[in-house]
């Protein structure tokens, strides 16, 4: 890796501070404290569209990521892998192997998730908005001068009503220590796009709607990936 952008950055929970290699191919090795079974993996904020990217481990596992093209706005679309039910997914040494990138490899964050929860949203709705932050200056004459900040942000809003989903959400909130730690979200299982999110509030409030019926309304915002790599 480039000494100014070390490999340790791929696990700093901040995709806006990427690791950068000095070539169009590289191998990043992640050594865990013990052998864990991994249920999902993702690469967040990258310049790997068109490259060959493979997740491997020392147990013999190997599977390629399908890396989507950039958005029309030039931002990366961040791929993920569902490893549930696959063999050889328990190990302490994992690697992301990249070859054939169009420029020197840059990766903001690599996620190895031990637990992939599936939540059912009440009424089947999850609002998942997007925004493109900008700085807008207004002149004395009423003209607007916009400055594109160069990145996008996604926001999630939803209501969880089922008891099993509420329990999972509370477990997630406790594990992330409220707003302290980010967590990994796949809003649409059929879409190859993952996000690193953070809860908007420290509090998780259950709302009593009827006898023996409660719900939790939540909000979360994507951890900014910063400028496109």
């Amino acid at each position: 890796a480039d000494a100014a952008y070390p490999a340790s950055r791929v696990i700093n929970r901040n995709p806006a501070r990427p690791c950068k290699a000095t070539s169009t191919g590289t191998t990043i090795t992640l050594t865990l404290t013990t052998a864990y079974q991994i249920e999902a993996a993702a690469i967040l904020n990258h310049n790997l569209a068109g490259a060959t990217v493979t997740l491997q481990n020392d147990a013999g596992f190997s599977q390629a990521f399908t890396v989507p093209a950039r958005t029309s706005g030039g931002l990366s679309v961040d791929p993920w892998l569902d490893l549930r039910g696959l063999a050889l997914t328990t190990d302490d040494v994992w690697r992301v192997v990249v070859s054939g990138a169009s420029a020197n490899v840059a990766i903001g964050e690599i996620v190895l998730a031990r637990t992939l929860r599936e939540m059912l949203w009440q009424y089947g709705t999850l609002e998942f908005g997007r925004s493109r932050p900008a700085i807008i200056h207004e002149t004395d004459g009423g003209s607007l001068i916009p400055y594109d900040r160069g990145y996008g942000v996604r926001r999630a809003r939803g209501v969880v009503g089922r008891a099993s989903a509420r329990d999972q959400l509370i477990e997630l909130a406790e594990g992330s220590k409220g707003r302290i730690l980010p967590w990994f979200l796949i809003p649409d299982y059929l879409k190859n796009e993952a996000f690193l999110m953070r809860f908007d509030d420290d509090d998780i409030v259950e709302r009593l709607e009827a006898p023996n019926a409660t719900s939790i309304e939540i909000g979360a915002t994507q951890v900014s990936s910063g400028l496109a790599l």
Side-chain angles (χ1 to χ4, degrees):
D2 186 324
Y5 302 90
S8 58
R9 287 189 170 194
V10 299
I11 55 170
N12 67 359
R13 303 189 182 102
N14 184 0
R17 292 176 56 82
C19 160
K20 294 185 179 181
T22 56
S23 66
T24 59
T26 192
T27 297
I28 298 175
T29 300
L30 304 175
T31 302
L32 310 182
T33 56
T34 190
Y36 290 112
Q37 183 174 8
I38 302 300
E39 291 194 349
I43 298 175
L44 308 175
N45 194 26
H46 58 84
N47 65 347
L48 304 180
T52 299
V53 185
T54 306
L55 178 68
Q56 302 176 351
N57 66 19
D58 280 357
F61 177 85
S62 181
Q63 183 160 329
F65 285 91
T66 300
V67 183
R70 291 179 181 269
T71 68
S72 58
L75 304 179
S76 68
V77 178
D78 300 335
W80 70 285
L81 293 174
D82 186 352
L83 309 185
R84 293 174 299 177
L86 301 182
L88 307 176
T89 57
T90 300
D91 203 0
D92 60 339
V93 179
W94 292 79
R95 291 178 296 277
V96 173
V97 182
V98 181
S99 62
S102 59
N104 289 352
V105 172
I107 296 175
E109 191 81 9
I110 296 173
V111 176
L112 298 178
R114 293 171 57 191
T115 303
L116 189 62
R117 301 173 177 87
E118 294 186 24
M119 291 188 183
L120 295 175
W121 300 91
Q122 189 176 18
Y123 315 123
T125 60
L126 169 65
E127 297 178 0
F128 200 60
R130 69 177 71 216
S131 66
R132 180 94 177 198
I135 298 172
I136 307 293
H137 291 302
E138 184 174 357
T139 69
D140 291 341
S143 297
L144 299 181
I145 304 174
Y147 297 91
D148 182 12
R149 299 182 67 177
Y151 61 91
V153 174
R154 306 297 295 270
R155 292 183 173 87
R157 301 287 184 274
V159 177
V160 175
R162 292 177 181 267
S164 59
R166 292 199 312 272
D167 292 344
Q168 288 181 338
L169 181 60
I170 292 171
E171 182 182 2
L172 175 61
E174 291 178 349
S176 65
K177 301 178 182 179
R179 292 183 295 171
I180 300 299
L181 299 175
W183 41 277
F184 172 51
L185 173 67
I186 302 152
D188 184 349
Y189 179 82
L190 300 178
K191 190 173 182 179
N192 185 23
E193 188 171 14
F195 300 89
L196 196 64
M197 308 291 289
R198 195 185 303 273
F199 284 115
D200 290 340
D201 298 302
D202 293 318
D203 300 329
I204 296 293
V205 179
E206 291 190 70
R207 182 172 58 207
L208 179 63
E209 298 179 327
N212 300 318
T214 61
S215 66
I216 300 175
E217 184 173 352
I218 69 159
T221 300
Q222 182 185 7
V223 178
S224 173
S225 293
L227 299 176
L229 298 175

